[in-house]
Amino acid sequence: MKGLIFDIKEFALHDGGGIRDTVFFKGCPLRCVWCHNPEGLSRERELYIRKARCTNCGLCRTPCNHPDCAPFGRCLHICPQNLISVAGQEWECDALAEHLLRHKAIFDETGGGVTLSGGEPLLQADFCEALLLRLSGKVHVAIETSGYASEEHFWKVISKCDLVMMDLKLASPTAHKEFTGVNNDPILQNAKRLQKSGKEHLFRIPRIPSITDTEENLRALAEIAGESPVELLSYNTMAAAKYPNVGREFSRRIGKTGFEGDPTKFFQNAVCRK
Amino acid sequence: MNQELYQYYIVDRAHRALRKPLGRDLGAEFASAGLCPEERMCRRFEIACAAETPAIMPFEKIVMRRSISALPDVFTEEEWETIKKDPYIHELGYVSNLSPNYEKIICKGLLAVYEESSKYQKRVIDALLGLCDRYRAEAEKQGREDLAEIFGRVPRQGARNFREALQFFRILHFFLWLEGNYHNTVGRFDQYMYPYFKQDMDAGIYTRETALELLEDFFVSFNKDSDLYVGVQQGDNGQSMVLGGLTPDGTDGFNLLSELCLEASCELKVIDPKINLRVSKNTPLWVYEKGTELTKAGLGFPQYSNDDVVIKGLERLGYDHEDAVNYVVAACWEFIIPGCGNDIPNISGVNFPLLVDRAIRAYLPTGGDFEGLIEETRKNIHAECERKIPLFKNVWFVPSHLMDLLRDGKKYNNFGFHGCGIASAADALAAVKTYVYDEKSVSAERLISALDANFENDPELLHLLRYEAPKMGCGKAVADDLGFWILDTFADALDGKTNDMGGIFRAGTGTAMNYLLHARKVGATADGRRAGEAYGTNFSPSLFAPVPGPLTDIESFTAHDLTRTMNGGPLTLEFDGSVFQNPDTIRKVAMLVKHFIDRGGHQLQLNTVDLDALKEAQKDPEGYRQLVVRIWGWSAYFVELDKEYQDHVMARQMYSV
């Protein structure tokens, strides 16, 4: 079985305990206006061109015979600055598991492991499940998910993970639809299932100024989170620079100011992280 | 922190403007008087001591700073030309890169060694005491009873307490520089100072905080005159301090003083002393966490070295166990022995990409197989070592009386060769193996024609070799294995070779400035490096290797045994400052370092780089005077570097969150 992966990051610092590798699954059903990984949105392989440094030398437009260049209408093997790559690489499940297990020694030494992220890993639930079957019991596996998936997909993946880090973004269904493109009902249902399951988990709330980071939303999310541990993540716009690289435009809807004061006070068990 | 002291010496550097030149052409004076070198060094020292004016600021506890600027040479330029014709002159000709035995003199005092000293040394001691007495008089004049009392005791007699020991060190170090020696290292400071420190801590004379404050005062003293100690660039001054490590009795030497040294450096954020931390498999994680706190400060240290590997490697080279256990680093990362070591660990360097390039160009057109290319490369490495070895005969240093007083004979007289561009050389061989031999997708003619044209005729081949080919540091066994094969071949080529001082030749993994200088001597290379482009620093991936991350980087550079190439030269990992956000991420970096050591890595340097700040600093140097970067084995103020060194820092691989 094959999965589409757009990055594997070694020494990922904020994706669980210990030293970890994070695997980024390509494709996401959500379209959060603040998305940090625009190259993870599409379910298709796509060109990723670091345009900021491009000198328009035109070499990549030279006709070539490389089979892998054909779908993109550009030569991928000629840029003198190596600015052109393809976001999305197909991995065989066995090969990916083997690749990730290379670092098992340091994962074990440090209480670390592998984190599945994206994109939305649950969009490739079958592949996730197959990968987890190969990793479970060998390394600690965490998942970062929006929680937007059917109960079946959610459960068959989550049940094989050691730690679930799930986003809570907006409590209001209309706001959720407006800023992420999808209904939050499946997410809230899955959040409840997660809480009931006894599985080690953590809710993460991206603090997007004027969108999620409002007193009203934070209070409402606190209700949903209940006793579960919560991490409030502060936001920066560094990802905006990546949007043109995949031919997307960064949203102008993000405001400047968010909730002022300590947002953890609304929650039973929350910490802030930069 | 003592803000007043910091402001005066580190920020304003007001004292530097007060210095005056000696105003004498001593080389010419000595030449016309026909003086011998011994007399010249002694006389210059006497003249310099007499010309120095004591200066004591009310806010400093550790005193002595230079009031005369650069020292005039003891020889004229014409004389140097004659001198250089016969003996081999290393670098500037003055004694450098040694780790003196401060411990002995600090304990006994200078009077204890006076009688056994040579006539020149006696004069040197007299001159030194003369200036110290004037410091004492100045202290009395200013009503500084504390300093007057200290100078009443040291350096004539041994130190009785921590503060006297620190001042004694400062005196010795100050005068070693004034004698004209350079790269005067600090050695195992936390070991030889510990008895004084412990005694005073046990007696309740200091708390942790007051001891730290005194230590910071002492650390500032390394920065007072460091602008006068220029090496290749400002900051390259050899003031390396070594902390922790095995002691001769087999215990771990990391102590409270080591810890306070890390903290002092962390608080002051000054480039001297340059901190080195000796660690081993038994070093607990919290020590690495302390070290990582210092890494976060952005000074490019501590540099770590692995006792498990280094001691074994030094013993393998013939160092006695009790000496190997005491190893320290020279100015950068070369392993040397304090006291009895007389090694010249940086006498030369081998330019591996050049040797590989010659092999490729000479051998590929013959149509032979890859084994033949390897054999050709091996021959080139051996031939280059054999060509170089005889160049270093009859090495002569300008005599140095004070330094000799701080030495315990010259037990080790080994010469070290740096190994430069290892990754670039390995990558070139790996590329040829992959594309010319295994895949047969690139012909020898095409490769050589592209190399000759600096790839301008073949951008596709440039892309292939530069960005797609297997590279050292990327977890590709073909490249890593060739890199270690180069190291082994290098060690073989020097194995059993001796110099005329009875010493051996040591193979190393450092580049020093050769990542620029050697790189200029070879055109485009088969790893896709264009003509003129630099190599990576020391034992690190090439600047454009697509390293997947620090775990793979570490795995590659610890893939095989390193104990045969023990001249020194670290793997360097560059991190964006954002990596050090909180105690959790600091702990993870510490785990990474521990992993490197546990895997048998020999030496590691971690840098914290703020690329945006570096860019801004190039535009606005005045606004970034305190911005520090690590160069190849020392740290410097970014804005004081030549642009090519600045640019290299900015071009290195960097890991971020």
Short mmCIF file of all heavy atoms in Angstrom, two decimals, chain B residues 526-555:
data_model
loop_
_atom_site.label_atom_id
_atom_site.label_comp_id
_atom_site.label_asym_id
_atom_site.label_seq_id
_atom_site.Cartn_x
_atom_site.Cartn_y
_atom_site.Cartn_z
N ALA B 526 33.52 17.05 -8.56
CA ALA B 526 32.49 16.10 -8.99
C ALA B 526 31.32 15.97 -8.02
O ALA B 526 30.36 15.26 -8.29
CB ALA B 526 33.11 14.73 -9.23
N ASP B 527 31.40 16.66 -6.88
CA ASP B 527 30.25 16.68 -5.97
C ASP B 527 29.30 17.81 -6.34
O ASP B 527 28.35 18.09 -5.62
CB ASP B 527 30.71 16.83 -4.52
CG ASP B 527 31.51 18.10 -4.29
OD1 ASP B 527 32.18 18.57 -5.24
OD2 ASP B 527 31.47 18.64 -3.17
N GLY B 528 29.57 18.48 -7.47
CA GLY B 528 28.69 19.56 -7.90
C GLY B 528 29.05 20.89 -7.27
O GLY B 528 28.27 21.84 -7.32
N ARG B 529 30.23 20.95 -6.70
CA ARG B 529 30.71 22.20 -6.12
C ARG B 529 31.34 23.04 -7.24
O ARG B 529 32.16 22.54 -7.99
CB ARG B 529 31.76 21.88 -5.05
CG ARG B 529 32.26 23.06 -4.28
CD ARG B 529 33.48 22.65 -3.42
NE ARG B 529 34.53 23.64 -3.58
CZ ARG B 529 35.41 23.68 -4.56
NH1 ARG B 529 35.40 22.75 -5.50
NH2 ARG B 529 36.31 24.62 -4.62
N ARG B 530 30.91 24.28 -7.33
CA ARG B 530 31.48 25.14 -8.37
C ARG B 530 32.85 25.63 -7.94
O ARG B 530 33.16 25.66 -6.73
CB ARG B 530 30.57 26.36 -8.60
CG ARG B 530 29.20 26.02 -9.17
CD ARG B 530 28.48 27.33 -9.49
NE ARG B 530 27.10 27.10 -9.84
CZ ARG B 530 26.09 27.17 -8.97
NH1 ARG B 530 26.32 27.43 -7.70
NH2 ARG B 530 24.85 26.95 -9.37
N ALA B 531 33.64 26.06 -8.91
CA ALA B 531 34.97 26.60 -8.60
C ALA B 531 34.83 27.74 -7.60
O ALA B 531 33.94 28.58 -7.75
CB ALA B 531 35.63 27.09 -9.88
N GLY B 532 35.70 27.74 -6.62
CA GLY B 532 35.72 28.84 -5.67
C GLY B 532 34.78 28.67 -4.49
O GLY B 532 34.91 29.38 -3.49
N GLU B 533 33.84 27.76 -4.58
CA GLU B 533 32.91 27.60 -3.45
C GLU B 533 33.62 26.91 -2.28
O GLU B 533 34.42 26.01 -2.48
CB GLU B 533 31.68 26.79 -3.87
CG GLU B 533 30.73 27.59 -4.73
CD GLU B 533 29.42 26.85 -5.00
OE1 GLU B 533 29.47 25.72 -5.51
OE2 GLU B 533 28.37 27.41 -4.70
N ALA B 534 33.22 27.31 -1.08
CA ALA B 534 33.89 26.82 0.13
C ALA B 534 33.50 25.39 0.45
O ALA B 534 32.49 24.88 -0.03
CB ALA B 534 33.53 27.72 1.31
N TYR B 535 34.32 24.76 1.27
CA TYR B 535 33.96 23.46 1.85
C TYR B 535 33.16 23.74 3.13
O TYR B 535 33.15 24.85 3.64
CB TYR B 535 35.20 22.65 2.24
CG TYR B 535 36.24 22.43 1.17
CD1 TYR B 535 37.58 22.24 1.52
CD2 TYR B 535 35.90 22.38 -0.18
CE1 TYR B 535 38.55 22.01 0.56
CE2 TYR B 535 36.88 22.16 -1.15
CZ TYR B 535 38.20 21.99 -0.77
OH TYR B 535 39.18 21.77 -1.71
N GLY B 536 32.59 22.68 3.68
CA GLY B 536 32.00 22.79 5.01
C GLY B 536 33.10 22.96 6.04
O GLY B 536 34.26 22.64 5.78
N THR B 537 32.76 23.47 7.22
CA THR B 537 33.78 23.60 8.26
C THR B 537 34.07 22.24 8.87
O THR B 537 33.16 21.47 9.16
CB THR B 537 33.32 24.48 9.44
OG1 THR B 537 32.02 24.10 9.79
CG2 THR B 537 33.37 25.93 9.10
N ASN B 538 35.33 21.99 9.09
CA ASN B 538 35.77 20.81 9.84
C ASN B 538 35.12 19.53 9.34
O ASN B 538 35.06 19.28 8.15
CB ASN B 538 35.54 21.04 11.34
CG ASN B 538 36.25 22.30 11.79
OD1 ASN B 538 37.36 22.55 11.33
ND2 ASN B 538 35.65 23.09 12.62
N PHE B 539 34.56 18.74 10.28
CA PHE B 539 34.03 17.43 9.94
C PHE B 539 32.53 17.56 9.77
O PHE B 539 31.74 17.09 10.60
CB PHE B 539 34.40 16.48 11.09
CG PHE B 539 34.26 15.02 10.77
CD1 PHE B 539 34.77 14.49 9.60
CD2 PHE B 539 33.65 14.17 11.66
CE1 PHE B 539 34.65 13.13 9.32
CE2 PHE B 539 33.53 12.81 11.40
CZ PHE B 539 34.03 12.30 10.22
N SER B 540 32.11 18.22 8.70
CA SER B 540 30.70 18.55 8.51
C SER B 540 30.30 18.31 7.07
O SER B 540 31.15 18.28 6.19
CB SER B 540 30.45 20.02 8.86
OG SER B 540 30.75 20.27 10.20
N PRO B 541 29.00 18.21 6.82
CA PRO B 541 28.54 18.03 5.44
C PRO B 541 28.92 19.23 4.57
O PRO B 541 29.19 20.31 5.09
CB PRO B 541 27.01 17.96 5.55
CG PRO B 541 26.72 17.74 6.98
CD PRO B 541 27.88 18.27 7.76
N SER B 542 28.88 19.02 3.27
CA SER B 542 29.13 20.14 2.36
C SER B 542 28.00 21.16 2.53
O SER B 542 26.95 20.84 3.09
CB SER B 542 29.19 19.66 0.92
OG SER B 542 27.88 19.57 0.38
N LEU B 543 28.24 22.36 2.06
CA LEU B 543 27.28 23.43 2.31
C LEU B 543 25.94 23.20 1.61
O LEU B 543 24.94 23.78 1.98
CB LEU B 543 27.86 24.77 1.85
CG LEU B 543 29.06 25.28 2.65
CD1 LEU B 543 29.56 26.60 2.09
CD2 LEU B 543 28.72 25.43 4.12
N PHE B 544 25.92 22.35 0.58
CA PHE B 544 24.66 22.17 -0.14
C PHE B 544 24.13 20.74 -0.05
O PHE B 544 23.24 20.35 -0.79
CB PHE B 544 24.80 22.61 -1.61
CG PHE B 544 26.07 22.15 -2.26
CD1 PHE B 544 26.18 20.86 -2.75
CD2 PHE B 544 27.17 23.00 -2.35
CE1 PHE B 544 27.36 20.42 -3.33
CE2 PHE B 544 28.36 22.56 -2.93
CZ PHE B 544 28.45 21.28 -3.43
N ALA B 545 24.68 19.95 0.86
CA ALA B 545 24.17 18.58 1.02
C ALA B 545 22.74 18.64 1.56
O ALA B 545 22.46 19.40 2.47
CB ALA B 545 25.05 17.81 1.99
N PRO B 546 21.82 17.85 0.98
CA PRO B 546 20.43 17.90 1.45
C PRO B 546 20.25 17.05 2.71
O PRO B 546 19.58 16.03 2.70
CB PRO B 546 19.65 17.31 0.27
CG PRO B 546 20.62 16.39 -0.39
CD PRO B 546 22.00 16.94 -0.16
N VAL B 547 20.87 17.50 3.78
CA VAL B 547 20.84 16.72 5.04
C VAL B 547 19.40 16.65 5.55
O VAL B 547 18.77 17.69 5.72
CB VAL B 547 21.75 17.38 6.08
CG1 VAL B 547 21.79 16.54 7.36
CG2 VAL B 547 23.15 17.56 5.53
N PRO B 548 18.87 15.47 5.80
CA PRO B 548 17.47 15.37 6.22
C PRO B 548 17.23 15.91 7.62
O PRO B 548 16.09 16.23 7.95
CB PRO B 548 17.18 13.86 6.19
CG PRO B 548 18.36 13.21 5.57
CD PRO B 548 19.50 14.16 5.63
N GLY B 549 18.25 15.99 8.42
CA GLY B 549 18.06 16.50 9.78
C GLY B 549 19.22 16.10 10.65
O GLY B 549 20.11 15.36 10.23
N PRO B 550 19.22 16.61 11.88
CA PRO B 550 20.38 16.39 12.74
C PRO B 550 20.59 14.92 13.13
O PRO B 550 21.72 14.53 13.38
CB PRO B 550 20.09 17.24 13.97
CG PRO B 550 18.64 17.52 13.95
CD PRO B 550 18.22 17.49 12.51
N LEU B 551 19.54 14.11 13.16
CA LEU B 551 19.73 12.71 13.54
C LEU B 551 20.55 11.98 12.48
O LEU B 551 21.50 11.25 12.78
CB LEU B 551 18.39 12.00 13.71
CG LEU B 551 17.40 12.57 14.72
CD1 LEU B 551 16.21 11.64 14.88
CD2 LEU B 551 18.07 12.79 16.06
N THR B 552 20.18 12.20 11.23
CA THR B 552 20.90 11.55 10.14
C THR B 552 22.32 12.11 10.03
O THR B 552 23.27 11.37 9.82
CB THR B 552 20.13 11.76 8.82
OG1 THR B 552 18.84 11.19 8.96
CG2 THR B 552 20.85 11.11 7.66
N ASP B 553 22.43 13.41 10.22
CA ASP B 553 23.74 14.06 10.18
C ASP B 553 24.67 13.37 11.19
O ASP B 553 25.80 12.95 10.87
CB ASP B 553 23.52 15.54 10.55
CG ASP B 553 24.67 16.43 10.13
OD1 ASP B 553 25.71 15.90 9.72
OD2 ASP B 553 24.52 17.66 10.22
N ILE B 554 24.18 13.22 12.42
CA ILE B 554 24.97 12.58 13.47
C ILE B 554 25.28 11.12 13.11
O ILE B 554 26.41 10.66 13.26
CB ILE B 554 24.22 12.68 14.82
CG1 ILE B 554 24.32 14.11 15.35
CG2 ILE B 554 24.78 11.68 15.83
CD1 ILE B 554 23.49 14.36 16.59
N GLU B 555 24.28 10.42 12.62
CA GLU B 555 24.51 9.01 12.28
C GLU B 555 25.60 8.88 11.23
O GLU B 555 26.46 8.01 11.31
CB GLU B 555 23.21 8.36 11.79
CG GLU B 555 22.36 7.91 12.95
CD GLU B 555 20.95 7.52 12.54
OE1 GLU B 555 20.73 7.28 11.35
OE2 GLU B 555 20.10 7.46 13.43
#
